[in-house]
Amino acid sequence: MTHGLDAARLPPVVPGLRVGLYGGSFNPAHAGHLHVSRMALRRLRLDRVWWLVTPGNPLKDRRELAPLSERMSTARDVAHCPRIAVTGFEAAIGARYTIETLRWLCRHCPTVQFVWIMGADSLASFHRWERFQEIASLMPIAVIDRPGYTLSGPNAPGARALARWRIDETDAPLLAGLRAPAWVFLHGPRSSLSSTALRNRV
């Protein structure tokens, strides 16, 4: 690894590794995150899933955000799986937006086959993300169904803009090896858990 990768504390990689990137505040991490990751590992035939614990989402209020170290510690406790790695490297490289994170990863890990993982609720607002079309051009995307977004997610502006690059769900195992843009919407058992609901309950 290069000095930059060591400083960012990325999980170890080897050429050809198929890695799902699951970004979020994880405030806190919960069983729903684990459900999504296990589905992605199985349906996309990934080798690993990395939980990218972000310093903060520009589209969300940061006032309720727990410290990064605390969120990472909880995420590791929840993940408890050898194929899921938790990293806070975005803070180390100073990334504010997802597009900055993905550019950095593509530059530093060019032999890794990355897939960006998001919930259908995120797809509904994807068009508001910084340079969302460039994100789609950097790596394939897997969208996991969420309660209440089965229909609205795939019909949102961002999804419509990328409609021609959507692949059939039966081809999901091929996604990691496809040239971007390419994306798939995965149906299946859905988790209704959310970090916001858990915070409110506390």
Side-chain angles (χ1 to χ4, degrees):
M1 287 188 179
T2 67
H3 176 74
L5 289 176
D6 287 335
R9 296 177 186 170
L10 270 189
V13 297
V14 294
L17 198 69
R18 296 160 63 96
V19 176
L21 302 173
Y22 190 18
S25 301
F26 294 93
N27 188 40
H30 52 71
H33 295 125
L34 187 58
H35 167 76
V36 166
S37 302
R38 285 173 170 165
M39 178 184 283
L41 283 165
R42 183 178 71 254
R43 300 280 298 277
L44 304 174
R45 296 183 186 168
L46 301 175
D47 299 307
R48 299 284 187 275
V49 168
W50 294 356
W51 288 5
L52 310 183
V53 185
T54 177
N57 186 333
L59 296 179
K60 293 183 179 180
D61 187 345
R62 299 191 185 196
R63 287 176 292 183
E64 294 185 352
L65 199 61
L68 178 63
S69 58
E70 180 180 318
R71 288 181 283 127
M72 288 184 61
S73 178
T74 303
R76 290 193 178 102
D77 289 341
V78 171
H80 199 61
C81 173
R83 296 174 66 194
I84 299 175
V86 177
T87 173
F89 89 98
E90 287 182 294
I93 65 171
R96 185 181 176 204
Y97 296 105
T98 297
I99 185 61
E100 296 169 342
T101 299
L102 302 193
R103 285 173 181 162
W104 192 94
L105 284 170
C106 289
R107 187 166 64 249
H108 288 84
C109 307
T111 62
V112 176
Q113 294 181 318
F114 287 117
V115 173
W116 180 254
I117 300 168
M118 69 166 72
D121 52 331
S122 293
L123 179 62
S125 61
F126 190 42
H127 60 287
R128 296 174 55 208
W129 292 27
E130 183 78 8
R131 298 184 179 273
F132 80 94
Q133 289 180 310
E134 185 180 347
I135 290 174
S137 74
L138 287 178
M139 61 185 63
I141 297 172
V143 181
I144 312 296
D145 198 7
R146 287 291 307 274
Y149 293 92
T150 303
L151 297 177
S152 60
N155 286 291
R160 291 201 304 270
L162 302 171
R164 67 177 131 164
W165 293 292
R166 181 178 177 180
I167 69 170
D168 193 89
E169 195 167 357
T170 58
D171 291 326
L174 306 175
L175 185 69
L178 296 180
R179 183 176 179 178
W183 67 284
V184 67
F185 192 98
L186 297 180
H187 298 85
R190 296 170 296 179
S191 172
S192 60
L193 289 173
S194 78
S195 296
T196 301
L198 289 174
R199 289 197 307 275
N200 291 340
R201 188 182 308 167
V202 171

